[in-house]
Amino acid sequence: MVKSYLRYEQGAAFGVIVSGNSNIAYDSSGKHIFAPGLEKVGVWNVRQGICIKTLTPCADGYSPPVTSIAVSPSSSSSSLIATGYGDGSIRIWDSQSKICETTFYGHTGAVSVLRYNKIGDRLVSGGQDKDIILWDVERGEGIYRLRGHGNQVTDLVFLDCCKKLVSSSKDKFLKVWDLETPHCMQTISDHHSEIWSIDIDPEQRYLVSGSADLELRVYTIKHDLKACQSTSNGTEIADSGDPSPPNKWQVLKLFGEYQRKSKNRVATVRFNKSGNLLACQEAGKVVHIFNVLDEAESTRKANRRIRRIKKKKSAQGEAEVMKDDGAGEEGKGHEVMVSDVFQLFQTIRPGKKICSISFCPNPPKTSLATIALSLSDNLCVFYSLESEATKQTRAIDLHGHRSSVTSVALSSDNTVLMSTSHNAAKIWNPTNGYCLGTIDTGFTMCAFILPSCNNKFALVGTKGGTMEIIDVGSATVTEVVEAHGGSVQSIARIPNENGFVTGSSDGYVKFWEYGVKEDSKHLLVSNVRMKEMDTDVRVVSISPDAKYLLVALDTIVKVFYMDSLKLFVTLYGHKLPVLCLDVSSDGELIVTGSQDKNVKIWGLDFGDCHKSMFDHQSSVQQVQFVPNTHYFVSVGDDKQVNYWDADKFELLLTMKGHHEGVCCLAISNRGDFFVTGSHDRSIRRWDRTDEPFFLEEEREKRELEKMYESDFKDEYENNFALKEKIPAEGAVAFAGKKTKETISLTDSIVAKLEIAWEESKRRANYEAEKVSGNLVAEFQPNPFMLGLSPPDYFLHELLKVKTSDLESMLLGIPFSDALKILSFCKDVGLRPDEVEFITRVVTLLLQINCNQLISTPAVKPILTGLKEVLYPNLKAKKDIIGYNHAAMTHIKQLHDSRSNAPLPDAISKRGVGASWYGKTEEGKCKKVRTCEPTPYL
């Protein structure tokens, strides 16, 4: 009989406030902040300091980390947030409902930057694959891909005033792209090192770029007067710089350079919402805040500077004394320098390395601005910028460790979880991941919750050789015991006794007894005996029957009798130091893990090695048996969590979830879940499910996945990798890319297409036989056609494809099948409700197969028929849209002439079909008209 096993799956992940591989971002209200938490995005309430929501991708197995976050600036879609991931995917979330509305697949590397345009209907992304992709958020599709940079794209900004896009890259170039006729219209090569960040002020007067150079570079923006937009005060943005620029393609012109005092590279430059402040974050522990003066103030400052220079020259006899009226050339715009516009205001030094910054869009009235900083130690702090000083107002720090998780321990009833790090211990609820308490400790190496004291006390061993006794209920350290002369490496409980054993790097193994006095709430600990070893003790463990003591010493494990402490057997075999070991519940097997990436299974009766298994790619940090079984779990620095069968010597499952090495493990006494801690500061719970699996099926599944991934990689490199050098002016390509999902989707659509094509040929043969008089039986339609005609059936199946996957799916359609699709589109092109979708399918197929269509004369009738069918229908749709647009414009003008309230607010208040109210000369409300629904609206 084939044996089945129960599967373990990740149930919860907690302990991460903010990870350092992405940026943080405020929402439009300024009350919440979006913080990346490895593969999740946490929505934190700034005032309360709690995570109210979590945006988690619904993916099986390992999820890549979040690498970029962007919040939609549009008021109508302010709850939309875009997140980029390490695998190149982009997800659009509704932060209110926590639903992923759209998923884009376009980049082959991690997404490094995301930016929305001012309206919020376009999203641009840049990645480590050197590509820039423009996405249509409303339609959920990619528009086009821009190629031209020679290295990773680091930042992007929209120039909404002239419909341009500016990109920066590690290739030291700034590029300006025209979005209407997608091409690179300007390349700037002023920088001498990698450009890391760019940003523009809200009025789009200046663009600031930061790199590893010693200066910030400021550029003026040439505005397209035809596409000029109004600013918030109602005045149009005028062209800055010369009135007649020498080059009409020159959108950015160097205004000047601001010399920085630090030698660290610039990591981020960002303007606040009002544009009067500029934050320059360096790749270190400093953020410089600059005042950005308006045109009048900068001109006055330039005039004062010129006066001082002329007075100095006059005092030296080199020039005449300057007139008091300040007239002359001092007021000209070209005399304004960068130092006249940007003034160093304040400097923030939080003490830890800064990962990202974000300005609050709605700061309190008592301060100039509020800025949030994410730090490298899993911390988010908030600073208030005031006119005289900068002060930290609050911090989110109680929900995670400041450093790597060094150990985890579960209570005997599995209701309390304790985790430790280099400077603190935390008490958690393992069910929901809530932090119940934080205790400041030393550099903790191991932890243990005492079971016989109703789980009220816990012990932690520190690097300094002390053993700290913790009251779990009050989350305080009650006593510090000087236990060893070296670091306490391991603590093991003595079964059925009020005692435990500690092992230290000082070479001693000590036995302890503990108890609680009746008149005291403190735990009493006393050393009863000890044994000296030949070298440092790394791990100690005791067999379940308390008969044997196991001690890991460098590359060997020694087994002693507990009563006499005489040597029973020595386990030889590891080539590098043994880091972990455990004994099965029945005392028959021992499992050890080592730095040599090897997991060994031993028999405790004779000390013989049953099997050596190499599946980890790095050091094995922890191993532990599932209680009452011969299954065990191992974790290592390769980020893997492996589930083994020690009887069959087989790897059952490989669970991936952590993003850095896993260093500690704790299994519940029932074996229904276990907890792991990692260097990525996350703590993850893995739950045993009721889903059975078979070993052979799981092995075949892993082999097929590896084969499929290798085949897909080779196919992409052969078919889609660039085979020729991109020109300096850049190139345009399709936005989508092939993925596993789109390949499966392509196969499904091709299968549906074959069914519809065969059915159409059957019907054509039936009609031909009917005309010739050779008909012998009635036509029997294919039951899979759902009673539809072949074109309608194929359109019905094609409409099931997501808009974001349509382009990628059509990329995999062979040319012969593309001709069949064009034939069906010709037949269904008369349907006015689907003419837009059909036109998009036809356009994509024409772009993809352009060269083959040109060289194939037989397709001319199909293309001619498509032109005759689609053009009239598209014109009718365009007329309807134009009619409704004109009607809405008239309604808005009518409303503006009779009411002071903005039209969106008025619509939300009155509802559809309600009466409109305007103001009379006396200021009273008066009913002016009743709104009727507009057709096709």
PDB file of all heavy atoms in Angstrom, residues 299-320:
ATOM      1  N   THR A 299      14.416  85.873  -6.795  1.00  0.00           N
ATOM      2  CA  THR A 299      14.911  87.073  -7.463  1.00  0.00           C
ATOM      3  C   THR A 299      15.434  88.082  -6.455  1.00  0.00           C
ATOM      4  O   THR A 299      16.489  88.695  -6.659  1.00  0.00           O
ATOM      5  CB  THR A 299      13.790  87.700  -8.303  1.00  0.00           C
ATOM      6  OG1 THR A 299      13.315  86.751  -9.253  1.00  0.00           O
ATOM      7  CG2 THR A 299      14.294  88.928  -9.051  1.00  0.00           C
ATOM      8  N   ARG A 300      14.716  88.273  -5.350  1.00  0.00           N
ATOM      9  CA  ARG A 300      15.194  89.195  -4.309  1.00  0.00           C
ATOM     10  C   ARG A 300      16.515  88.716  -3.726  1.00  0.00           C
ATOM     11  O   ARG A 300      17.422  89.521  -3.460  1.00  0.00           O
ATOM     12  CB  ARG A 300      14.138  89.333  -3.211  1.00  0.00           C
ATOM     13  CG  ARG A 300      12.932  90.178  -3.605  1.00  0.00           C
ATOM     14  CD  ARG A 300      12.123  90.563  -2.371  1.00  0.00           C
ATOM     15  NE  ARG A 300      11.534  89.395  -1.741  1.00  0.00           N
ATOM     16  CZ  ARG A 300      10.321  88.934  -2.007  1.00  0.00           C
ATOM     17  NH1 ARG A 300       9.571  89.556  -2.920  1.00  0.00           N
ATOM     18  NH2 ARG A 300       9.846  87.881  -1.382  1.00  0.00           N
ATOM     19  N   LYS A 301      16.621  87.418  -3.516  1.00  0.00           N
ATOM     20  CA  LYS A 301      17.881  86.892  -2.982  1.00  0.00           C
ATOM     21  C   LYS A 301      19.017  87.091  -3.975  1.00  0.00           C
ATOM     22  O   LYS A 301      20.149  87.421  -3.584  1.00  0.00           O
ATOM     23  CB  LYS A 301      17.721  85.413  -2.654  1.00  0.00           C
ATOM     24  CG  LYS A 301      18.943  84.818  -1.978  1.00  0.00           C
ATOM     25  CD  LYS A 301      18.760  83.354  -1.646  1.00  0.00           C
ATOM     26  CE  LYS A 301      20.022  82.794  -0.997  1.00  0.00           C
ATOM     27  NZ  LYS A 301      19.913  81.348  -0.717  1.00  0.00           N
ATOM     28  N   ALA A 302      18.743  86.898  -5.268  1.00  0.00           N
ATOM     29  CA  ALA A 302      19.778  87.126  -6.282  1.00  0.00           C
ATOM     30  C   ALA A 302      20.190  88.591  -6.311  1.00  0.00           C
ATOM     31  O   ALA A 302      21.382  88.916  -6.461  1.00  0.00           O
ATOM     32  CB  ALA A 302      19.268  86.676  -7.647  1.00  0.00           C
ATOM     33  N   ASN A 303      19.224  89.505  -6.146  1.00  0.00           N
ATOM     34  CA  ASN A 303      19.553  90.936  -6.133  1.00  0.00           C
ATOM     35  C   ASN A 303      20.436  91.283  -4.937  1.00  0.00           C
ATOM     36  O   ASN A 303      21.394  92.055  -5.065  1.00  0.00           O
ATOM     37  CB  ASN A 303      18.274  91.757  -6.099  1.00  0.00           C
ATOM     38  CG  ASN A 303      17.487  91.632  -7.404  1.00  0.00           C
ATOM     39  OD1 ASN A 303      18.039  91.239  -8.430  1.00  0.00           O
ATOM     40  ND2 ASN A 303      16.202  91.969  -7.351  1.00  0.00           N
ATOM     41  N   ARG A 304      20.116  90.727  -3.787  1.00  0.00           N
ATOM     42  CA  ARG A 304      20.954  90.993  -2.621  1.00  0.00           C
ATOM     43  C   ARG A 304      22.359  90.443  -2.819  1.00  0.00           C
ATOM     44  O   ARG A 304      23.346  91.083  -2.428  1.00  0.00           O
ATOM     45  CB  ARG A 304      20.316  90.368  -1.373  1.00  0.00           C
ATOM     46  CG  ARG A 304      19.039  91.073  -0.918  1.00  0.00           C
ATOM     47  CD  ARG A 304      18.647  90.620   0.488  1.00  0.00           C
ATOM     48  NE  ARG A 304      18.349  89.203   0.545  1.00  0.00           N
ATOM     49  CZ  ARG A 304      17.150  88.678   0.392  1.00  0.00           C
ATOM     50  NH1 ARG A 304      16.111  89.478   0.151  1.00  0.00           N
ATOM     51  NH2 ARG A 304      16.955  87.377   0.487  1.00  0.00           N
ATOM     52  N   ARG A 305      22.452  89.278  -3.432  1.00  0.00           N
ATOM     53  CA  ARG A 305      23.781  88.712  -3.693  1.00  0.00           C
ATOM     54  C   ARG A 305      24.573  89.596  -4.644  1.00  0.00           C
ATOM     55  O   ARG A 305      25.780  89.815  -4.438  1.00  0.00           O
ATOM     56  CB  ARG A 305      23.622  87.310  -4.270  1.00  0.00           C
ATOM     57  CG  ARG A 305      24.917  86.648  -4.701  1.00  0.00           C
ATOM     58  CD  ARG A 305      24.687  85.227  -5.182  1.00  0.00           C
ATOM     59  NE  ARG A 305      23.623  85.134  -6.147  1.00  0.00           N
ATOM     60  CZ  ARG A 305      23.767  85.414  -7.445  1.00  0.00           C
ATOM     61  NH1 ARG A 305      24.944  85.825  -7.911  1.00  0.00           N
ATOM     62  NH2 ARG A 305      22.751  85.288  -8.263  1.00  0.00           N
ATOM     63  N   ILE A 306      23.904  90.131  -5.664  1.00  0.00           N
ATOM     64  CA  ILE A 306      24.601  90.983  -6.633  1.00  0.00           C
ATOM     65  C   ILE A 306      25.031  92.294  -5.978  1.00  0.00           C
ATOM     66  O   ILE A 306      26.124  92.816  -6.242  1.00  0.00           O
ATOM     67  CB  ILE A 306      23.689  91.234  -7.851  1.00  0.00           C
ATOM     68  CG1 ILE A 306      23.454  89.913  -8.591  1.00  0.00           C
ATOM     69  CG2 ILE A 306      24.297  92.258  -8.789  1.00  0.00           C
ATOM     70  CD1 ILE A 306      22.440  90.011  -9.690  1.00  0.00           C
ATOM     71  N   ARG A 307      24.168  92.826  -5.086  1.00  0.00           N
ATOM     72  CA  ARG A 307      24.550  94.048  -4.382  1.00  0.00           C
ATOM     73  C   ARG A 307      25.810  93.827  -3.552  1.00  0.00           C
ATOM     74  O   ARG A 307      26.724  94.671  -3.538  1.00  0.00           O
ATOM     75  CB  ARG A 307      23.409  94.506  -3.476  1.00  0.00           C
ATOM     76  CG  ARG A 307      22.184  95.037  -4.204  1.00  0.00           C
ATOM     77  CD  ARG A 307      21.252  95.725  -3.215  1.00  0.00           C
ATOM     78  NE  ARG A 307      19.987  96.043  -3.832  1.00  0.00           N
ATOM     79  CZ  ARG A 307      18.880  95.336  -3.677  1.00  0.00           C
ATOM     80  NH1 ARG A 307      18.907  94.244  -2.934  1.00  0.00           N
ATOM     81  NH2 ARG A 307      17.766  95.696  -4.257  1.00  0.00           N
ATOM     82  N   ARG A 308      25.836  92.689  -2.844  1.00  0.00           N
ATOM     83  CA  ARG A 308      27.005  92.429  -2.007  1.00  0.00           C
ATOM     84  C   ARG A 308      28.268  92.301  -2.848  1.00  0.00           C
ATOM     85  O   ARG A 308      29.334  92.794  -2.471  1.00  0.00           O
ATOM     86  CB  ARG A 308      26.782  91.151  -1.192  1.00  0.00           C
ATOM     87  CG  ARG A 308      25.750  91.292  -0.088  1.00  0.00           C
ATOM     88  CD  ARG A 308      25.830  90.123   0.892  1.00  0.00           C
ATOM     89  NE  ARG A 308      25.555  88.858   0.222  1.00  0.00           N
ATOM     90  CZ  ARG A 308      24.358  88.307   0.139  1.00  0.00           C
ATOM     91  NH1 ARG A 308      23.299  88.924   0.660  1.00  0.00           N
ATOM     92  NH2 ARG A 308      24.199  87.146  -0.467  1.00  0.00           N
ATOM     93  N   ILE A 309      28.142  91.650  -3.999  1.00  0.00           N
ATOM     94  CA  ILE A 309      29.328  91.489  -4.858  1.00  0.00           C
ATOM     95  C   ILE A 309      29.810  92.839  -5.372  1.00  0.00           C
ATOM     96  O   ILE A 309      31.016  93.152  -5.374  1.00  0.00           O
ATOM     97  CB  ILE A 309      29.003  90.533  -6.017  1.00  0.00           C
ATOM     98  CG1 ILE A 309      28.745  89.116  -5.475  1.00  0.00           C
ATOM     99  CG2 ILE A 309      30.131  90.513  -7.036  1.00  0.00           C
ATOM    100  CD1 ILE A 309      28.302  88.137  -6.537  1.00  0.00           C
ATOM    101  N   LYS A 310      28.855  93.694  -5.789  1.00  0.00           N
ATOM    102  CA  LYS A 310      29.246  94.993  -6.340  1.00  0.00           C
ATOM    103  C   LYS A 310      29.811  95.913  -5.262  1.00  0.00           C
ATOM    104  O   LYS A 310      30.749  96.692  -5.513  1.00  0.00           O
ATOM    105  CB  LYS A 310      28.056  95.638  -7.029  1.00  0.00           C
ATOM    106  CG  LYS A 310      27.673  94.929  -8.326  1.00  0.00           C
ATOM    107  CD  LYS A 310      26.601  95.694  -9.079  1.00  0.00           C
ATOM    108  CE  LYS A 310      26.301  95.014 -10.421  1.00  0.00           C
ATOM    109  NZ  LYS A 310      25.290  95.750 -11.202  1.00  0.00           N
ATOM    110  N   LYS A 311      29.235  95.828  -4.041  1.00  0.00           N
ATOM    111  CA  LYS A 311      29.779  96.632  -2.954  1.00  0.00           C
ATOM    112  C   LYS A 311      31.195  96.199  -2.610  1.00  0.00           C
ATOM    113  O   LYS A 311      32.061  97.029  -2.303  1.00  0.00           O
ATOM    114  CB  LYS A 311      28.886  96.510  -1.731  1.00  0.00           C
ATOM    115  CG  LYS A 311      27.586  97.277  -1.855  1.00  0.00           C
ATOM    116  CD  LYS A 311      26.756  97.140  -0.580  1.00  0.00           C
ATOM    117  CE  LYS A 311      25.451  97.909  -0.719  1.00  0.00           C
ATOM    118  NZ  LYS A 311      24.613  97.784   0.509  1.00  0.00           N
ATOM    119  N   LYS A 312      31.417  94.865  -2.660  1.00  0.00           N
ATOM    120  CA  LYS A 312      32.766  94.376  -2.369  1.00  0.00           C
ATOM    121  C   LYS A 312      33.748  94.856  -3.420  1.00  0.00           C
ATOM    122  O   LYS A 312      34.864  95.282  -3.103  1.00  0.00           O
ATOM    123  CB  LYS A 312      32.744  92.855  -2.307  1.00  0.00           C
ATOM    124  CG  LYS A 312      34.059  92.232  -1.903  1.00  0.00           C
ATOM    125  CD  LYS A 312      33.925  90.716  -1.782  1.00  0.00           C
ATOM    126  CE  LYS A 312      35.252  90.101  -1.367  1.00  0.00           C
ATOM    127  NZ  LYS A 312      35.154  88.605  -1.258  1.00  0.00           N
ATOM    128  N   LYS A 313      33.325  94.827  -4.698  1.00  0.00           N
ATOM    129  CA  LYS A 313      34.209  95.312  -5.758  1.00  0.00           C
ATOM    130  C   LYS A 313      34.429  96.814  -5.650  1.00  0.00           C
ATOM    131  O   LYS A 313      35.515  97.331  -5.908  1.00  0.00           O
ATOM    132  CB  LYS A 313      33.630  94.956  -7.118  1.00  0.00           C
ATOM    133  CG  LYS A 313      33.645  93.465  -7.424  1.00  0.00           C
ATOM    134  CD  LYS A 313      33.093  93.190  -8.807  1.00  0.00           C
ATOM    135  CE  LYS A 313      33.130  91.685  -9.116  1.00  0.00           C
ATOM    136  NZ  LYS A 313      32.592  91.398 -10.464  1.00  0.00           N
ATOM    137  N   SER A 314      33.376  97.553  -5.270  1.00  0.00           N
ATOM    138  CA  SER A 314      33.496  99.004  -5.133  1.00  0.00           C
ATOM    139  C   SER A 314      34.446  99.366  -4.007  1.00  0.00           C
ATOM    140  O   SER A 314      35.216 100.330  -4.099  1.00  0.00           O
ATOM    141  CB  SER A 314      32.123  99.606  -4.877  1.00  0.00           C
ATOM    142  OG  SER A 314      32.222 100.994  -4.657  1.00  0.00           O
ATOM    143  N   ALA A 315      34.389  98.573  -2.931  1.00  0.00           N
ATOM    144  CA  ALA A 315      35.300  98.857  -1.819  1.00  0.00           C
ATOM    145  C   ALA A 315      36.745  98.622  -2.204  1.00  0.00           C
ATOM    146  O   ALA A 315      37.656  99.237  -1.661  1.00  0.00           O
ATOM    147  CB  ALA A 315      34.942  98.001  -0.614  1.00  0.00           C
ATOM    148  N   GLN A 316      36.937  97.744  -3.174  1.00  0.00           N
ATOM    149  CA  GLN A 316      38.298  97.445  -3.628  1.00  0.00           C
ATOM    150  C   GLN A 316      38.725  98.346  -4.774  1.00  0.00           C
ATOM    151  O   GLN A 316      39.807  98.194  -5.301  1.00  0.00           O
ATOM    152  CB  GLN A 316      38.390  95.981  -4.072  1.00  0.00           C
ATOM    153  CG  GLN A 316      38.160  94.993  -2.937  1.00  0.00           C
ATOM    154  CD  GLN A 316      38.142  93.572  -3.427  1.00  0.00           C
ATOM    155  OE1 GLN A 316      38.230  93.335  -4.626  1.00  0.00           O
ATOM    156  NE2 GLN A 316      38.036  92.631  -2.486  1.00  0.00           N
ATOM    157  N   GLY A 317      37.854  99.261  -5.192  1.00  0.00           N
ATOM    158  CA  GLY A 317      38.194 100.194  -6.263  1.00  0.00           C
ATOM    159  C   GLY A 317      38.068  99.619  -7.645  1.00  0.00           C
ATOM    160  O   GLY A 317      38.591 100.200  -8.597  1.00  0.00           O
ATOM    161  N   GLU A 318      37.372  98.505  -7.787  1.00  0.00           N
ATOM    162  CA  GLU A 318      37.261  97.876  -9.097  1.00  0.00           C
ATOM    163  C   GLU A 318      35.951  98.219  -9.802  1.00  0.00           C
ATOM    164  O   GLU A 318      35.791  97.933 -10.963  1.00  0.00           O
ATOM    165  CB  GLU A 318      37.347  96.357  -8.957  1.00  0.00           C
ATOM    166  CG  GLU A 318      38.665  95.885  -8.394  1.00  0.00           C
ATOM    167  CD  GLU A 318      38.698  94.383  -8.231  1.00  0.00           C
ATOM    168  OE1 GLU A 318      37.686  93.736  -8.603  1.00  0.00           O
ATOM    169  OE2 GLU A 318      39.698  93.870  -7.741  1.00  0.00           O
ATOM    170  N   ALA A 319      35.008  98.847  -9.065  1.00  0.00           N
ATOM    171  CA  ALA A 319      33.740  99.182  -9.680  1.00  0.00           C
ATOM    172  C   ALA A 319      33.114 100.324  -8.916  1.00  0.00           C
ATOM    173  O   ALA A 319      33.529 100.654  -7.798  1.00  0.00           O
ATOM    174  CB  ALA A 319      32.800  97.958  -9.691  1.00  0.00           C
ATOM    175  N   GLU A 320      32.094 100.957  -9.497  1.00  0.00           N
ATOM    176  CA  GLU A 320      31.393 102.051  -8.850  1.00  0.00           C
ATOM    177  C   GLU A 320      30.448 101.515  -7.800  1.00  0.00           C
ATOM    178  O   GLU A 320      30.031 100.362  -7.852  1.00  0.00           O
ATOM    179  CB  GLU A 320      30.606 102.860  -9.893  1.00  0.00           C
ATOM    180  CG  GLU A 320      31.497 103.566 -10.894  1.00  0.00           C
ATOM    181  CD  GLU A 320      30.681 104.380 -11.873  1.00  0.00           C
ATOM    182  OE1 GLU A 320      29.436 104.307 -11.779  1.00  0.00           O
ATOM    183  OE2 GLU A 320      31.280 105.076 -12.690  1.00  0.00           O
TER     184      GLU A 320
END
